Amino acid sequence: MTNKPRINLLNLDGDRLASFIAGLDEKPFRAKQLMRWIHQRGVSDVDQMSDLAKTFRTQLQDLVEIKSLPVISDQTASDGTRKWLLDVGEGNAVEMVYIPEEDRGTLCISSQAGCAVNCRFCSTGKQGFSRNLTAAEIIGQLWYAEHHLRNDPKAIKRVDAYDKTTLAHEEGRVISNVVMMGMGEPLLNYEPVLSAMKLMLDDNAYGLSRRRVTLSTSGVVPFIDRLSQDLPVALAVSLHAANDALRNELVPINRKYPLAVLLDSCKRYLEFAPRDFLTFEYCMLDGVNDSDKQAHELIQLLKSIKCKVNLIPFNPFADSGLKQSPKSRIDQFAKILLDAKMVTTVRKTRGDDIDAACGQLAGEVQDRTNLAQREIRWMEKN
């Protein structure tokens, strides 16, 4: 038996797995067989992969493992939303959320332990940043949730999701949509996120369409451009303000990539996007960004780009210093946008009784950015 660390096959997308198999002098179709066993059937024991030669299975047992993140806790909200807390080691934990609906099952995935962007309305950012997740830790969230939920009688199963000739024993896929909207800024962990999304789209793995995989970003412009060339999935941009002065306060990365630069990159991305529009997310903060004037300002800002605006009622958390806009104010803000023929939705709050709603994911993170100390020094100077 080798003393080298085992290779976690969840870390390998289709191309990397094919290279690994080639290095073992095995035929290329073995890679597809492995992917189907791992991602479509959820098998983690190589010995159970019955259509692989026994000698090959024995070889793999000495070299590889199929391992996702350990689950610390599993909570279900009154509306059926489910949240898992996952151990990523060294005192750090991340969260993922499953949102069941009649026509879809959406999984919200984390990409980092903590977040360095530090948006004012997001509880994750208040913890600071510990580390990036690996591709295995990212796709492992989907791997665990998909196969765990198949045993849940309340989960909706889509029987047309898979080829029955290869998965005759399966009742169908549970998760139909994935959103990279959990803890972290996905584009600041680019390569592992890219590798994980390739598996989401691979027909030998999860077979999701690009329209059903959404990446949400605070606006890391160079990587928006890279993503448009590497793997253009649905894109959601965390906007939250229609002018640079306010967005500098709410989304600090705007100081590096101001709105004009960000919107130019969005227009470039739209040329390659799987949909003919982009989504802009706008968290409704009482007395901060929710006035009629700011609604008209938003219309002017976005008038030259085909888009949908998703208004998100703020989900309060301790020490945020912010309040959710009243429903009447959100409705009025939405009406102004709709009257201007702008496609607008108000996100339904899900899972807020278990802190699983948008902006509430916090996990447990040992801050390597010393965020708390930096904030104290800043307050002392000001």
Side-chain angles (χ1 to χ4, degrees):
M1 180 178 290
T2 179
N3 292 320
K4 292 182 179 179
R6 292 175 182 269
I7 296 169
N8 189 347
L9 293 184
L10 292 180
N11 255 323
L12 307 182
D13 58 35
D15 290 340
R16 290 188 173 99
L17 185 56
S19 296
F20 172 71
I21 294 299
L24 300 178
D25 292 325
E26 287 287 338
K27 295 180 179 178
F29 73 88
R30 293 298 187 199
K32 294 181 179 179
Q33 286 180 303
L34 271 173
M35 287 187 72
R36 289 170 182 165
W37 278 110
I38 296 167
H39 297 288
Q40 294 187 355
R41 297 190 181 191
V43 174
S44 58
D45 183 354
V46 171
D47 200 45
Q48 294 180 16
M49 300 178 182
S50 55
D51 60 354
L52 300 182
K54 186 169 180 58
T55 53
F56 182 43
R57 280 182 276 162
T58 300
Q59 183 183 23
L60 287 176
Q61 285 173 339
D62 290 339
L63 295 174
V64 307
E65 63 183 1
I66 300 157
K67 186 178 180 181
S68 63
L69 294 170
V71 176
I72 298 172
S73 67
D74 179 352
Q75 296 175 276
T76 302
S78 56
D79 62 9
T81 298
R82 196 161 174 179
K83 180 177 77 170
W84 291 274
L85 183 68
L86 307 170
D87 186 358
V88 295
E90 298 182 351
N92 297 309
V94 299
E95 293 176 333
M96 69 170 172
V97 176
Y98 172 66
I99 305 166
E101 298 177 83
E102 289 186 4
D103 62 340
R104 69 183 63 191
T106 301
L107 188 69
C108 181
I109 286 180
S110 294
S111 58
Q112 296 178 314
C115 184
V117 177
N118 193 25
C119 298
R120 275 187 61 193
F121 46 83
C122 180
S123 61
T124 302
K126 293 304 176 185
Q127 298 180 93
F129 172 76
S130 180
R131 70 171 177 87
N132 288 324
L133 300 188
T134 65
E137 290 170 332
I138 297 168
I139 198 64
Q141 295 171 62
L142 174 57
W143 181 83
Y144 175 86
E146 171 64 38
H147 299 292
H148 183 76
L149 289 168
R150 287 184 191 176
N151 297 319
D152 182 351
K154 296 181 181 178
I156 299 171
K157 299 180 177 65
R158 291 151 185 84
V159 296
D160 61 344
Y162 288 119
D163 179 355
K164 291 297 183 180
T165 61
T166 60
L167 288 174
H169 73 291
E170 284 295 353
E171 295 182 15
R173 178 168 56 203
V174 176
I175 295 165
S176 62
N177 295 66
V178 174
V179 291
M180 300 296 303
M181 295 182 183
M183 296 173 63
E185 164 55 67
L187 293 184
L188 292 180
N189 186 21
Y190 187 78
E191 293 296 340
V193 166
L194 184 67
S195 185
M197 291 196 304
K198 285 180 179 178
L199 283 168
M200 295 174 197
L201 303 179
D202 196 311
D203 287 340
N204 291 301
Y206 301 94
L208 298 174
S209 78
R210 293 174 189 244
R211 297 166 59 91
R212 290 183 176 269
V213 175
T214 302
L215 184 144
S216 176
T217 179
S218 57
V220 190
V221 168
F223 287 104
I224 292 175
D225 287 328
R226 280 188 62 180
L227 188 65
S228 72
Q229 302 304 304
D230 293 338
L231 199 73
V233 295
L235 188 70
V237 177
S238 293
L239 194 62
H240 313 299
N243 63 73
D244 284 319
L246 180 56
R247 195 166 190 268
N248 285 346
E249 294 180 23
L250 297 178
V251 187
I253 201 170
N254 192 75
R255 297 165 191 165
K256 186 169 186 178
Y257 306 113
L259 285 169
V261 175
L262 173 60
L263 289 182
D264 280 346
S265 74
C266 289
K267 291 173 185 176
R268 292 192 295 272
Y269 192 91
L270 195 52
E271 297 178 19
F272 304 95
R275 298 172 174 170
D276 62 353
F277 66 91
L278 300 184
T279 298
F280 289 98
E281 298 164 321
Y282 197 96
C283 186
M284 298 297 293
L285 305 168
D286 185 26
V288 176
N289 66 352
D290 62 351
S291 70
D292 287 2
K293 179 181 178 181
Q294 287 164 322
H296 289 291
E297 191 176 18
L298 183 61
I299 292 167
Q300 288 302 308
L301 179 72
L302 300 180
K303 65 182 180 180
S304 64
I305 183 168
K306 191 168 183 181
C307 63
K308 176 181 78 173
V309 176
N310 191 2
L311 302 180
I312 305 171
F314 172 63
N315 295 296
F317 58 91
D319 302 323
S320 70
L322 300 168
K323 296 180 180 179
Q324 182 183 113
S325 301
K327 184 179 183 304
S328 59
R329 180 93 294 269
I330 296 174
D331 291 344
Q332 172 63 13
F333 197 96
K335 183 178 184 301
I336 293 172
L337 301 185
L338 289 167
D339 287 346
K341 309 301 181 185
M342 181 169 286
V343 178
T344 306
T345 57
V346 178
R347 180 176 294 175
K348 182 180 178 182
T349 298
R350 299 290 302 267
D352 55 351
D353 55 333
I354 57 170
D355 291 337
C358 185
Q360 289 184 318
L361 300 191
E364 297 172 2
V365 173
Q366 305 299 315
D367 178 23
R368 292 184 182 174
T369 61
N370 297 314
L371 178 65
Q373 289 82 355
R374 287 190 289 111
E375 288 187 337
I376 290 171
R377 289 196 296 269
W378 183 87
M379 287 187 286
E380 289 173 346
K381 290 180 181 179
N382 294 272

